[in-house]
């Protein structure tokens, strides 16, 4: 490829990274807000949070992008630029998946910890901030890492709006060179490199957070082989 075409691909990488960061920030905020709301003591709050989760988990991210970009403008009289439309659609969609991660991690905290906070006369917010979240957040990192990789791959959906992300730029280069195999191999490798970097970053974050609460990251179990004990009469126990 020429330097001009490589520049086009690199611009697409930059757009993809911007979209990934912005939508990940929105998805994180939605995940914690809705996930905590799903553990609320009020039934009405839990119902609204559950309704949001079911609606956005049960709809296609691609259709949601169409809806945000093409349906909202006539309805409200304003137009979102593709970057913000993609951020909104992906952040809300993947935030619904993330809310279940948050809810599950909070539910997995030992009930005795919650009861200890009640015994100390902590308010619900104090129990959440000082007891539950510090223990639950490290357990959220591995599933959040998977969700972040899925979000990275989901950013390619914004190319339907004509947004110059990595997938869209790669397609333009393919049309210019009429070389599908070479171009799409490069694109796959770029996505893999970004995903690998994100995985290592999240792994480091997991180690740091678990060290803060006195835990070690989960690794492959060590299998220890033991010789069978024997009795005095030569039989194995």
């Amino acid at each position: 490829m020429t330097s001009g075409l490589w520049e086009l691909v690199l611009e697409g990488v930059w757009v993809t990274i911007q979209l990934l960061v912005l939508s990940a920030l929105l998805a994180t905020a939605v995940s914690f807000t809705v996930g905590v709301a799903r553990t609320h003591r009020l039934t009405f709050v839990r119902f609204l949070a559950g309704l949001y989760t079911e609606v956005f988990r049960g709809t296609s991210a691609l259709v949601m992008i169409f809806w945000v970009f093409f349906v909202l403008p006539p309805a409200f009289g304003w137009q979102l630029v593709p970057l913000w439309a993609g951020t909104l659609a992906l952040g809300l969609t993947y935030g619904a998946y993330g809310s279940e991660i948050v809810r599950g991690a909070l539910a997995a905290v030992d009930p005795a910890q919650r009861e200890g906070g009640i015994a100390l006369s902590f308010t619900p917010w104090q129990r959440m901030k000082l007891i539950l979240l510090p223990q639950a957040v490290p357990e959220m990192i591995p599933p959040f890492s998977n969700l972040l990789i899925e979000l990275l791959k989901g950013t390619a959906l914004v190319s339907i709006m004509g947004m110059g992300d990595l997938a869209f730029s790669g397609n333009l280069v393919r049309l210019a060179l009429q070389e599908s195999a070479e171009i799409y191999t490069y694109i796959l490798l770029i996505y893999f490199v970004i995903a690998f970097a994100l995985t290592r970053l999240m792994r480091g974050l997991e180690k740091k957070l678990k060290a803060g609460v006195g835990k070690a990251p989960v690794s492959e179990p060590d299998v220890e082989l033991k010789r069978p004990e024997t009795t005095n009469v030569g039989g194995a126990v």
Side-chain angles (χ1 to χ4, degrees), residues 13 17 20 141 144-146 148-149 152 188-206:
V13 172
I17 291 175
L20 174 65
I141 299 302
F144 266 132
S145 178
N146 289 334
L148 185 60
I149 301 304
L152 168 64
L188 285 175
L189 289 175
I190 293 173
Y191 273 115
F192 171 77
V193 169
I194 298 174
F196 183 79
L198 291 174
T199 301
R200 303 311 301 172
L201 178 64
M202 295 295 285
R203 184 64 174 170
L205 179 61
E206 180 189 2

Side-chain angles (χ1 to χ4, degrees), residues 78-98:
W78 42 261
Q79 177 70 57
L80 284 172
V81 297
L83 178 62
W84 294 115
T87 297
L88 183 61
L90 293 174
L92 293 177
T93 299
Y94 285 88
Y97 291 97

